[in-house]
PDB file of all heavy atoms in Angstrom:
ATOM      1  N   ILE I 302     -43.729 -17.275  33.769  1.00 77.00           N
ATOM      2  CA  ILE I 302     -43.314 -18.597  34.243  1.00 77.00           C
ATOM      3  C   ILE I 302     -42.613 -18.503  35.596  1.00 77.00           C
ATOM      4  O   ILE I 302     -42.699 -19.415  36.426  1.00 77.00           O
ATOM      5  CB  ILE I 302     -42.417 -19.302  33.195  1.00 77.00           C
ATOM      6  CG1 ILE I 302     -42.516 -20.826  33.362  1.00 77.00           C
ATOM      7  CG2 ILE I 302     -40.968 -18.859  33.298  1.00 77.00           C
ATOM      8  CD1 ILE I 302     -43.877 -21.372  33.034  1.00 77.00           C
ATOM      9  N   MET I 303     -41.921 -17.377  35.851  1.00 76.00           N
ATOM     10  CA  MET I 303     -41.272 -17.215  37.148  1.00 76.00           C
ATOM     11  C   MET I 303     -42.310 -16.995  38.248  1.00 76.00           C
ATOM     12  O   MET I 303     -42.125 -17.449  39.396  1.00 76.00           O
ATOM     13  CB  MET I 303     -40.287 -16.040  37.103  1.00 76.00           C
ATOM     14  CG  MET I 303     -39.066 -16.288  36.213  1.00 76.00           C
ATOM     15  SD  MET I 303     -38.165 -17.805  36.611  1.00 76.00           S
ATOM     16  CE  MET I 303     -37.652 -17.481  38.286  1.00 76.00           C
ATOM     17  N   LEU I 304     -43.398 -16.296  37.926  1.00 78.00           N
ATOM     18  CA  LEU I 304     -44.482 -16.147  38.902  1.00 78.00           C
ATOM     19  C   LEU I 304     -45.107 -17.495  39.222  1.00 78.00           C
ATOM     20  O   LEU I 304     -45.441 -17.788  40.387  1.00 78.00           O
ATOM     21  CB  LEU I 304     -45.537 -15.176  38.366  1.00 78.00           C
ATOM     22  CG  LEU I 304     -45.141 -13.694  38.336  1.00 78.00           C
ATOM     23  CD1 LEU I 304     -46.206 -12.874  37.602  1.00 78.00           C
ATOM     24  CD2 LEU I 304     -44.948 -13.155  39.757  1.00 78.00           C
ATOM     25  N   VAL I 305     -45.259 -18.322  38.188  1.00 77.00           N
ATOM     26  CA  VAL I 305     -45.770 -19.681  38.413  1.00 77.00           C
ATOM     27  C   VAL I 305     -44.810 -20.466  39.275  1.00 77.00           C
ATOM     28  O   VAL I 305     -45.214 -21.207  40.189  1.00 77.00           O
ATOM     29  CB  VAL I 305     -45.988 -20.388  37.053  1.00 77.00           C
ATOM     30  CG1 VAL I 305     -46.329 -21.862  37.266  1.00 77.00           C
ATOM     31  CG2 VAL I 305     -47.087 -19.693  36.258  1.00 77.00           C
ATOM     32  N   SER I 306     -43.517 -20.284  39.023  1.00 75.00           N
ATOM     33  CA  SER I 306     -42.497 -20.998  39.799  1.00 75.00           C
ATOM     34  C   SER I 306     -42.535 -20.588  41.266  1.00 75.00           C
ATOM     35  O   SER I 306     -42.394 -21.429  42.161  1.00 75.00           O
ATOM     36  CB  SER I 306     -41.117 -20.707  39.211  1.00 75.00           C
ATOM     37  OG  SER I 306     -40.110 -21.372  39.940  1.00 75.00           O
ATOM     38  N   VAL I 307     -42.748 -19.284  41.521  1.00 75.00           N
ATOM     39  CA  VAL I 307     -42.845 -18.819  42.909  1.00 75.00           C
ATOM     40  C   VAL I 307     -44.033 -19.470  43.610  1.00 75.00           C
ATOM     41  O   VAL I 307     -43.935 -19.914  44.754  1.00 75.00           O
ATOM     42  CB  VAL I 307     -42.963 -17.277  42.941  1.00 75.00           C
ATOM     43  CG1 VAL I 307     -43.312 -16.798  44.355  1.00 75.00           C
ATOM     44  CG2 VAL I 307     -41.672 -16.631  42.470  1.00 75.00           C
ATOM     45  N   SER I 308     -45.158 -19.544  42.890  1.00 75.00           N
ATOM     46  CA  SER I 308     -46.356 -20.166  43.471  1.00 75.00           C
ATOM     47  C   SER I 308     -46.122 -21.642  43.764  1.00 75.00           C
ATOM     48  O   SER I 308     -46.568 -22.158  44.801  1.00 75.00           O
ATOM     49  CB  SER I 308     -47.549 -20.006  42.521  1.00 75.00           C
ATOM     50  OG  SER I 308     -47.828 -18.639  42.289  1.00 75.00           O
ATOM     51  N   GLU I 309     -45.439 -22.348  42.869  1.00 71.00           N
ATOM     52  CA  GLU I 309     -45.211 -23.784  43.047  1.00 71.00           C
ATOM     53  C   GLU I 309     -44.201 -24.061  44.158  1.00 71.00           C
ATOM     54  O   GLU I 309     -44.230 -25.132  44.775  1.00 71.00           O
ATOM     55  CB  GLU I 309     -44.706 -24.394  41.737  1.00 71.00           C
ATOM     56  CG  GLU I 309     -45.756 -24.446  40.636  1.00 71.00           C
ATOM     57  CD  GLU I 309     -45.190 -25.025  39.353  1.00 71.00           C
ATOM     58  OE1 GLU I 309     -43.946 -25.116  39.246  1.00 71.00           O
ATOM     59  OE2 GLU I 309     -45.991 -25.390  38.466  1.00 71.00           O
ATOM     60  N   ARG I 310     -43.285 -23.110  44.383  1.00 70.00           N
ATOM     61  CA  ARG I 310     -42.179 -23.359  45.333  1.00 70.00           C
ATOM     62  C   ARG I 310     -42.323 -22.535  46.607  1.00 70.00           C
ATOM     63  O   ARG I 310     -41.329 -22.233  47.268  1.00 70.00           O
ATOM     64  CB  ARG I 310     -40.855 -23.043  44.629  1.00 70.00           C
ATOM     65  CG  ARG I 310     -40.603 -23.961  43.445  1.00 70.00           C
ATOM     66  CD  ARG I 310     -39.570 -23.394  42.474  1.00 70.00           C
ATOM     67  NE  ARG I 310     -38.269 -23.226  43.093  1.00 70.00           N
ATOM     68  CZ  ARG I 310     -37.238 -22.622  42.496  1.00 70.00           C
ATOM     69  NH1 ARG I 310     -37.389 -22.139  41.269  1.00 70.00           N
ATOM     70  NH2 ARG I 310     -36.087 -22.502  43.119  1.00 70.00           N
ATOM     71  N   THR I 311     -43.548 -22.214  46.933  1.00 74.00           N
ATOM     72  CA  THR I 311     -43.764 -21.413  48.142  1.00 74.00           C
ATOM     73  C   THR I 311     -43.231 -22.120  49.385  1.00 74.00           C
ATOM     74  O   THR I 311     -42.579 -21.506  50.247  1.00 74.00           O
ATOM     75  CB  THR I 311     -45.273 -21.114  48.309  1.00 74.00           C
ATOM     76  OG1 THR I 311     -45.755 -20.424  47.153  1.00 74.00           O
ATOM     77  CG2 THR I 311     -45.525 -20.269  49.547  1.00 74.00           C
ATOM     78  N   ARG I 312     -43.501 -23.426  49.520  1.00 75.00           N
ATOM     79  CA  ARG I 312     -43.022 -24.177  50.699  1.00 75.00           C
ATOM     80  C   ARG I 312     -41.501 -24.220  50.726  1.00 75.00           C
ATOM     81  O   ARG I 312     -40.886 -24.091  51.782  1.00 75.00           O
ATOM     82  CB  ARG I 312     -43.610 -25.594  50.679  1.00 75.00           C
ATOM     83  CG  ARG I 312     -43.295 -26.392  51.936  1.00 75.00           C
ATOM     84  CD  ARG I 312     -44.023 -27.722  51.930  1.00 75.00           C
ATOM     85  NE  ARG I 312     -43.761 -28.487  53.131  1.00 75.00           N
ATOM     86  CZ  ARG I 312     -44.346 -28.306  54.292  1.00 75.00           C
ATOM     87  NH1 ARG I 312     -45.314 -27.401  54.406  1.00 75.00           N
ATOM     88  NH2 ARG I 312     -44.036 -29.048  55.349  1.00 75.00           N
ATOM     89  N   GLU I 313     -40.873 -24.390  49.565  1.00 73.00           N
ATOM     90  CA  GLU I 313     -39.405 -24.400  49.487  1.00 73.00           C
ATOM     91  C   GLU I 313     -38.840 -23.067  49.979  1.00 73.00           C
ATOM     92  O   GLU I 313     -37.848 -23.037  50.725  1.00 73.00           O
ATOM     93  CB  GLU I 313     -38.960 -24.643  48.045  1.00 73.00           C
ATOM     94  CG  GLU I 313     -37.455 -24.538  47.831  1.00 73.00           C
ATOM     95  CD  GLU I 313     -37.061 -24.506  46.360  1.00 73.00           C
ATOM     96  OE1 GLU I 313     -37.815 -25.057  45.522  1.00 73.00           O
ATOM     97  OE2 GLU I 313     -36.007 -23.903  46.043  1.00 73.00           O
ATOM     98  N   ILE I 314     -39.488 -21.965  49.566  1.00 72.00           N
ATOM     99  CA  ILE I 314     -39.033 -20.632  49.987  1.00 72.00           C
ATOM    100  C   ILE I 314     -39.162 -20.494  51.500  1.00 72.00           C
ATOM    101  O   ILE I 314     -38.276 -19.959  52.174  1.00 72.00           O
ATOM    102  CB  ILE I 314     -39.840 -19.536  49.262  1.00 72.00           C
ATOM    103  CG1 ILE I 314     -39.563 -19.588  47.763  1.00 72.00           C
ATOM    104  CG2 ILE I 314     -39.511 -18.153  49.812  1.00 72.00           C
ATOM    105  CD1 ILE I 314     -40.494 -18.717  46.932  1.00 72.00           C
ATOM    106  N   GLY I 315     -40.278 -20.992  52.052  1.00 76.00           N
ATOM    107  CA  GLY I 315     -40.475 -20.927  53.503  1.00 76.00           C
ATOM    108  C   GLY I 315     -39.400 -21.687  54.250  1.00 76.00           C
ATOM    109  O   GLY I 315     -38.895 -21.224  55.276  1.00 76.00           O
ATOM    110  N   ILE I 316     -39.059 -22.890  53.772  1.00 78.00           N
ATOM    111  CA  ILE I 316     -38.012 -23.692  54.416  1.00 78.00           C
ATOM    112  C   ILE I 316     -36.679 -22.954  54.372  1.00 78.00           C
ATOM    113  O   ILE I 316     -35.935 -22.919  55.365  1.00 78.00           O
ATOM    114  CB  ILE I 316     -37.895 -25.075  53.745  1.00 78.00           C
ATOM    115  CG1 ILE I 316     -39.178 -25.881  53.998  1.00 78.00           C
ATOM    116  CG2 ILE I 316     -36.672 -25.821  54.243  1.00 78.00           C
ATOM    117  CD1 ILE I 316     -39.234 -27.190  53.233  1.00 78.00           C
ATOM    118  N   ARG I 317     -36.340 -22.355  53.217  1.00 74.00           N
ATOM    119  CA  ARG I 317     -35.071 -21.631  53.099  1.00 74.00           C
ATOM    120  C   ARG I 317     -35.022 -20.478  54.112  1.00 74.00           C
ATOM    121  O   ARG I 317     -33.987 -20.243  54.749  1.00 74.00           O
ATOM    122  CB  ARG I 317     -34.920 -21.079  51.679  1.00 74.00           C
ATOM    123  CG  ARG I 317     -34.597 -22.147  50.640  1.00 74.00           C
ATOM    124  CD  ARG I 317     -34.475 -21.529  49.243  1.00 74.00           C
ATOM    125  NE  ARG I 317     -34.188 -22.536  48.232  1.00 74.00           N
ATOM    126  CZ  ARG I 317     -32.973 -22.954  47.911  1.00 74.00           C
ATOM    127  NH1 ARG I 317     -31.921 -22.426  48.527  1.00 74.00           N
ATOM    128  NH2 ARG I 317     -32.796 -23.868  46.994  1.00 74.00           N
ATOM    129  N   MET I 318     -36.122 -19.729  54.225  1.00 76.00           N
ATOM    130  CA  MET I 318     -36.134 -18.617  55.171  1.00 76.00           C
ATOM    131  C   MET I 318     -36.085 -19.108  56.611  1.00 76.00           C
ATOM    132  O   MET I 318     -35.481 -18.465  57.486  1.00 76.00           O
ATOM    133  CB  MET I 318     -37.385 -17.763  54.947  1.00 76.00           C
ATOM    134  CG  MET I 318     -37.349 -16.944  53.663  1.00 76.00           C
ATOM    135  SD  MET I 318     -38.807 -15.889  53.502  1.00 76.00           S
ATOM    136  CE  MET I 318     -38.328 -14.881  52.095  1.00 76.00           C
ATOM    137  N   ALA I 319     -36.733 -20.248  56.871  1.00 77.00           N
ATOM    138  CA  ALA I 319     -36.754 -20.795  58.224  1.00 77.00           C
ATOM    139  C   ALA I 319     -35.362 -21.210  58.690  1.00 77.00           C
ATOM    140  O   ALA I 319     -35.058 -21.143  59.893  1.00 77.00           O
ATOM    141  CB  ALA I 319     -37.707 -21.984  58.302  1.00 77.00           C
ATOM    142  N   VAL I 320     -34.496 -21.645  57.772  1.00 78.00           N
ATOM    143  CA  VAL I 320     -33.149 -22.097  58.155  1.00 78.00           C
ATOM    144  C   VAL I 320     -32.124 -20.982  58.006  1.00 78.00           C
ATOM    145  O   VAL I 320     -30.915 -21.240  58.043  1.00 78.00           O
ATOM    146  CB  VAL I 320     -32.725 -23.324  57.335  1.00 78.00           C
ATOM    147  CG1 VAL I 320     -33.644 -24.506  57.610  1.00 78.00           C
ATOM    148  CG2 VAL I 320     -32.691 -22.991  55.845  1.00 78.00           C
ATOM    149  N   GLY I 321     -32.594 -19.740  57.800  1.00 77.00           N
ATOM    150  CA  GLY I 321     -31.652 -18.617  57.852  1.00 77.00           C
ATOM    151  C   GLY I 321     -31.466 -17.818  56.581  1.00 77.00           C
ATOM    152  O   GLY I 321     -30.697 -16.850  56.574  1.00 77.00           O
ATOM    153  N   ALA I 322     -32.131 -18.179  55.494  1.00 75.00           N
ATOM    154  CA  ALA I 322     -31.971 -17.403  54.249  1.00 75.00           C
ATOM    155  C   ALA I 322     -32.620 -16.036  54.413  1.00 75.00           C
ATOM    156  O   ALA I 322     -33.729 -15.924  54.918  1.00 75.00           O
ATOM    157  CB  ALA I 322     -32.597 -18.147  53.082  1.00 75.00           C
ATOM    158  N   ARG I 323     -31.893 -15.003  54.010  1.00 80.00           N
ATOM    159  CA  ARG I 323     -32.435 -13.650  54.072  1.00 80.00           C
ATOM    160  C   ARG I 323     -33.264 -13.368  52.814  1.00 80.00           C
ATOM    161  O   ARG I 323     -33.106 -14.034  51.793  1.00 80.00           O
ATOM    162  CB  ARG I 323     -31.296 -12.633  54.181  1.00 80.00           C
ATOM    163  CG  ARG I 323     -30.512 -12.759  55.488  1.00 80.00           C
ATOM    164  CD  ARG I 323     -29.526 -11.598  55.620  1.00 80.00           C
ATOM    165  NE  ARG I 323     -28.547 -11.604  54.546  1.00 80.00           N
ATOM    166  CZ  ARG I 323     -27.405 -12.281  54.580  1.00 80.00           C
ATOM    167  NH1 ARG I 323     -27.110 -13.020  55.652  1.00 80.00           N
ATOM    168  NH2 ARG I 323     -26.568 -12.224  53.568  1.00 80.00           N
ATOM    169  N   PRO I 324     -34.162 -12.369  52.839  1.00 78.00           N
ATOM    170  CA  PRO I 324     -34.942 -12.020  51.642  1.00 78.00           C
ATOM    171  C   PRO I 324     -34.064 -11.724  50.429  1.00 78.00           C
ATOM    172  O   PRO I 324     -34.424 -12.059  49.304  1.00 78.00           O
ATOM    173  CB  PRO I 324     -35.736 -10.787  52.087  1.00 78.00           C
ATOM    174  CG  PRO I 324     -35.888 -10.949  53.563  1.00 78.00           C
ATOM    175  CD  PRO I 324     -34.612 -11.595  54.025  1.00 78.00           C
ATOM    176  N   SER I 325     -32.899 -11.091  50.678  1.00 80.00           N
ATOM    177  CA  SER I 325     -31.996 -10.786  49.562  1.00 80.00           C
ATOM    178  C   SER I 325     -31.494 -12.066  48.896  1.00 80.00           C
ATOM    179  O   SER I 325     -31.301 -12.106  47.671  1.00 80.00           O
ATOM    180  CB  SER I 325     -30.821  -9.939  50.047  1.00 80.00           C
ATOM    181  OG  SER I 325     -30.075 -10.629  51.041  1.00 80.00           O
ATOM    182  N   ASN I 326     -31.270 -13.135  49.697  1.00 78.00           N
ATOM    183  CA  ASN I 326     -30.826 -14.404  49.114  1.00 78.00           C
ATOM    184  C   ASN I 326     -31.890 -14.988  48.197  1.00 78.00           C
ATOM    185  O   ASN I 326     -31.587 -15.515  47.121  1.00 78.00           O
ATOM    186  CB  ASN I 326     -30.501 -15.414  50.222  1.00 78.00           C
ATOM    187  CG  ASN I 326     -29.384 -14.944  51.133  1.00 78.00           C
ATOM    188  OD1 ASN I 326     -29.484 -15.002  52.356  1.00 78.00           O
ATOM    189  ND2 ASN I 326     -28.284 -14.466  50.545  1.00 78.00           N
ATOM    190  N   VAL I 327     -33.138 -14.900  48.631  1.00 78.00           N
ATOM    191  CA  VAL I 327     -34.242 -15.423  47.812  1.00 78.00           C
ATOM    192  C   VAL I 327     -34.387 -14.599  46.535  1.00 78.00           C
ATOM    193  O   VAL I 327     -34.595 -15.132  45.440  1.00 78.00           O
ATOM    194  CB  VAL I 327     -35.557 -15.418  48.617  1.00 78.00           C
ATOM    195  CG1 VAL I 327     -36.721 -15.887  47.740  1.00 78.00           C
ATOM    196  CG2 VAL I 327     -35.430 -16.294  49.856  1.00 78.00           C
ATOM    197  N   ARG I 328     -34.270 -13.265  46.678  1.00 80.00           N
ATOM    198  CA  ARG I 328     -34.366 -12.394  45.483  1.00 80.00           C
ATOM    199  C   ARG I 328     -33.291 -12.751  44.467  1.00 80.00           C
ATOM    200  O   ARG I 328     -33.564 -12.895  43.274  1.00 80.00           O
ATOM    201  CB  ARG I 328     -34.241 -10.924  45.896  1.00 80.00           C
ATOM    202  CG  ARG I 328     -35.541 -10.286  46.340  1.00 80.00           C
ATOM    203  CD  ARG I 328     -35.438  -8.768  46.323  1.00 80.00           C
ATOM    204  NE  ARG I 328     -34.373  -8.291  47.199  1.00 80.00           N
ATOM    205  CZ  ARG I 328     -34.532  -8.003  48.487  1.00 80.00           C
ATOM    206  NH1 ARG I 328     -35.727  -8.164  49.056  1.00 80.00           N
ATOM    207  NH2 ARG I 328     -33.534  -7.551  49.214  1.00 80.00           N
ATOM    208  N   VAL I 329     -32.065 -12.890  44.921  1.00 80.00           N
ATOM    209  CA  VAL I 329     -30.951 -13.201  44.017  1.00 80.00           C
ATOM    210  C   VAL I 329     -31.165 -14.556  43.353  1.00 80.00           C
ATOM    211  O   VAL I 329     -30.876 -14.734  42.168  1.00 80.00           O
ATOM    212  CB  VAL I 329     -29.606 -13.176  44.785  1.00 80.00           C
ATOM    213  CG1 VAL I 329     -28.476 -13.740  43.919  1.00 80.00           C
ATOM    214  CG2 VAL I 329     -29.264 -11.757  45.215  1.00 80.00           C
ATOM    215  N   GLN I 330     -31.678 -15.531  44.125  1.00 78.00           N
ATOM    216  CA  GLN I 330     -31.891 -16.864  43.552  1.00 78.00           C
ATOM    217  C   GLN I 330     -32.873 -16.821  42.379  1.00 78.00           C
ATOM    218  O   GLN I 330     -32.587 -17.328  41.291  1.00 78.00           O
ATOM    219  CB  GLN I 330     -32.411 -17.821  44.625  1.00 78.00           C
ATOM    220  CG  GLN I 330     -32.703 -19.214  44.067  1.00 78.00           C
ATOM    221  CD  GLN I 330     -33.469 -20.091  45.056  1.00 78.00           C
ATOM    222  OE1 GLN I 330     -33.553 -19.756  46.235  1.00 78.00           O
ATOM    223  NE2 GLN I 330     -34.009 -21.186  44.567  1.00 78.00           N
ATOM    224  N   PHE I 331     -34.014 -16.200  42.597  1.00 77.00           N
ATOM    225  CA  PHE I 331     -35.031 -16.169  41.530  1.00 77.00           C
ATOM    226  C   PHE I 331     -34.620 -15.234  40.382  1.00 77.00           C
ATOM    227  O   PHE I 331     -34.939 -15.495  39.217  1.00 77.00           O
ATOM    228  CB  PHE I 331     -36.391 -15.757  42.117  1.00 77.00           C
ATOM    229  CG  PHE I 331     -37.113 -16.884  42.768  1.00 77.00           C
ATOM    230  CD1 PHE I 331     -36.877 -17.204  44.099  1.00 77.00           C
ATOM    231  CD2 PHE I 331     -38.010 -17.658  42.043  1.00 77.00           C
ATOM    232  CE1 PHE I 331     -37.530 -18.270  44.697  1.00 77.00           C
ATOM    233  CE2 PHE I 331     -38.673 -18.723  42.642  1.00 77.00           C
ATOM    234  CZ  PHE I 331     -38.424 -19.034  43.975  1.00 77.00           C
ATOM    235  N   LEU I 332     -33.917 -14.153  40.697  1.00 81.00           N
ATOM    236  CA  LEU I 332     -33.436 -13.254  39.648  1.00 81.00           C
ATOM    237  C   LEU I 332     -32.395 -13.965  38.792  1.00 81.00           C
ATOM    238  O   LEU I 332     -32.365 -13.811  37.562  1.00 81.00           O
ATOM    239  CB  LEU I 332     -32.847 -11.995  40.274  1.00 81.00           C
ATOM    240  CG  LEU I 332     -32.617 -10.799  39.334  1.00 81.00           C
ATOM    241  CD1 LEU I 332     -33.924 -10.388  38.665  1.00 81.00           C
ATOM    242  CD2 LEU I 332     -32.030  -9.621  40.111  1.00 81.00           C
ATOM    243  N   THR I 333     -31.552 -14.773  39.429  1.00 82.00           N
ATOM    244  CA  THR I 333     -30.542 -15.535  38.690  1.00 82.00           C
ATOM    245  C   THR I 333     -31.198 -16.534  37.752  1.00 82.00           C
ATOM    246  O   THR I 333     -30.769 -16.713  36.604  1.00 82.00           O
ATOM    247  CB  THR I 333     -29.598 -16.262  39.667  1.00 82.00           C
ATOM    248  OG1 THR I 333     -28.964 -15.298  40.512  1.00 82.00           O
ATOM    249  CG2 THR I 333     -28.524 -17.039  38.897  1.00 82.00           C
TER     250      THR I 333
END
Side-chain angles (χ1 to χ4, degrees):
I302 206 66
M303 292 306 298
L304 288 172
V305 172
S306 180
V307 170
S308 300
E309 290 178 345
R310 297 161 62 187
T311 302
R312 186 174 181 80
E313 174 192 333
I314 295 170
I316 294 173
R317 286 179 181 273
M318 288 183 171
V320 297
R323 295 188 298 273
S325 60
N326 299 132
V327 177
R328 275 197 301 271
V329 170
Q330 178 191 346
F331 279 87
L332 195 58
T333 301

